[in-house]
Amino acid sequence: MSRTIVAFHAHPDDEALLTAGTMARLADEGHRVVLVLATDGGAGLAAEELRRGGGLGTRRLEEARRSAQVLGVARVEWLGYADSGSGPRPEPDVPGVVRFCRAPLDEAAERLAAVLRTERADLLLSYDANGGYGHRDHVRVHEVGALAARIAGTPRVLEATVPRDTIVRAVRAVGRVYRFPAEFDPTSLDRAFSARSDITHRIDVRRHVRAKRDAMRAHASQATGGGAASVGEGGQTGDRTLAAFLRIPRPVYDLVFGREWFRDPSLPAGGPVRTAIFEGDP
């Protein structure tokens, strides 16, 4: 039985990092997969030449479309909001631009609900309450997604996440080949994502890990430098975390990225972990 899945993400490239394997697997199994992006990612870090003229958001949306094509996604939608930025405070408002974190919750949820209704979505993929590592736009995805599903009557929501202990191990593995910026605090991960006991679904995506890696490659702007957050040794501009992931040898990459995790908020914590999105699927 074919279903329709809407994957809701904060920025272009988030889909490649969090749910690309599951999206590719579901598309390969004959389901319709739709990608909805809250923002254009225009406040993301990138090499200076990519940021000139305010064109980074347009470029990143096009990268997301290339990523979606690799994954077998049938439709890509942008809700029309601007990236709120990852600094201590949201990016300033400018005329005609609404930062996602400042968008009225009801309005943003209705925009997403319109897609859910049009698609008659059987499932919404969203984020956990922590918004993963806590980016303000990721937290807003959780809030907007939960409300939109209620408005549209979407029967199921799965919140993309990672067991905290797994992400800590992954960061340590990446740290062996990549020097993280000085301001990166690994202990912040102790408060990120979800406890293992909260995980309800563990999806094996190793058969689709090549598509996931290709989806990461599609976001070429996010593998470039971008100021202090990507300064490498000697003060030279270094590459970004996405580029570091893509340098991981395939056997290690498959181990780190070969599974994806979700939390079903309708299920009690601590129960059996499911290995398929839909009952009866392989």
Side-chain angles (χ1 to χ4, degrees), residues 128-181:
D128 67 10
N130 288 327
Y133 62 91
H135 188 296
R136 56 179 65 90
D137 284 339
H138 288 228
V139 173
R140 199 63 164 169
V141 160
H142 169 79
E143 297 166 347
V144 169
L147 180 56
R150 290 197 296 272
I151 293 171
T154 302
R156 287 185 68 201
V157 176
L158 287 181
E159 299 172 352
T161 187
V162 180
R164 290 189 189 109
D165 58 334
T166 298
I167 196 69
V168 167
R169 287 201 306 270
V171 166
R172 287 173 182 164
V174 172
R176 296 189 185 103
V177 296
Y178 173 75
R179 183 182 294 275
F180 286 104

Side-chain angles (χ1 to χ4, degrees), residues 7-248:
F8 183 37
H9 285 277
H11 315 98
D13 87 349
D14 289 329
E15 86 290 342
L17 292 163
L18 274 173
T19 65
T22 300
M23 292 164 69
R25 174 174 168 171
L26 290 168
D28 189 47
E29 291 172 353
H31 302 297
R32 176 175 172 84
V33 179
V34 175
L35 171 62
V36 177
L37 298 165
T39 84
D40 60 358
L45 296 171
E48 183 59 35
E49 60 267 22
L50 302 181
R51 300 175 60 84
R52 293 192 188 112
L56 181 59
T58 299
R59 180 186 177 106
R60 293 194 67 188
L61 287 171
E62 181 54 38
E63 290 174 344
R65 294 184 186 99
R66 289 197 289 271
S67 167
Q69 186 174 19
V70 166
L71 299 175
V73 169
R75 174 187 176 190
V76 179
E77 286 292 325
W78 169 42
L79 291 189
Y81 296 110
D83 188 345
S84 305
S86 57
R89 291 177 294 279
E91 292 289 309
D93 289 329
V94 296
V97 171
V98 178
R99 304 289 174 187
F100 184 48
C101 72
R102 295 194 181 103
L105 179 60
D106 290 350
E107 174 201 277
E110 182 53 50
R111 290 190 189 187
L112 177 58
V115 178
L116 295 172
R117 283 192 295 257
T118 298
E119 291 289 345
R120 298 182 180 179
D122 300 287
L123 170 65
L124 172 67
L125 302 182
S126 184
Y127 295 167
D128 67 10
N130 288 327
Y133 62 91
H135 188 296
R136 56 179 65 90
D137 284 339
H138 288 228
V139 173
R140 199 63 164 169
V141 160
H142 169 79
E143 297 166 347
V144 169
L147 180 56
R150 290 197 296 272
I151 293 171
T154 302
R156 287 185 68 201
V157 176
L158 287 181
E159 299 172 352
T161 187
V162 180
R164 290 189 189 109
D165 58 334
T166 298
I167 196 69
V168 167
R169 287 201 306 270
V171 166
R172 287 173 182 164
V174 172
R176 296 189 185 103
V177 296
Y178 173 75
R179 183 182 294 275
F180 286 104
E183 63 269 27
F184 175 68
D185 177 12
T187 64
S188 65
L189 297 173
D190 296 338
R191 304 177 297 277
F193 296 96
S194 297
R196 183 170 289 277
S197 61
D198 289 335
I199 303 296
T200 61
H201 290 71
R202 181 184 66 247
I203 307 302
D204 187 338
V205 299
R206 285 174 292 180
R207 289 181 57 191
H208 300 88
V209 78
R210 177 175 293 181
K212 181 165 183 167
R213 195 173 175 107
D214 287 345
M216 287 188 183
R217 285 197 184 100
H219 294 281
S221 69
Q222 296 307 287
T224 67
S230 61
V231 171
E233 292 182 79
Q236 300 299 312
T237 300
D239 58 15
R240 299 286 310 288
T241 303
L242 186 61
F245 288 161
L246 291 172
R247 287 205 309 275
I248 299 174

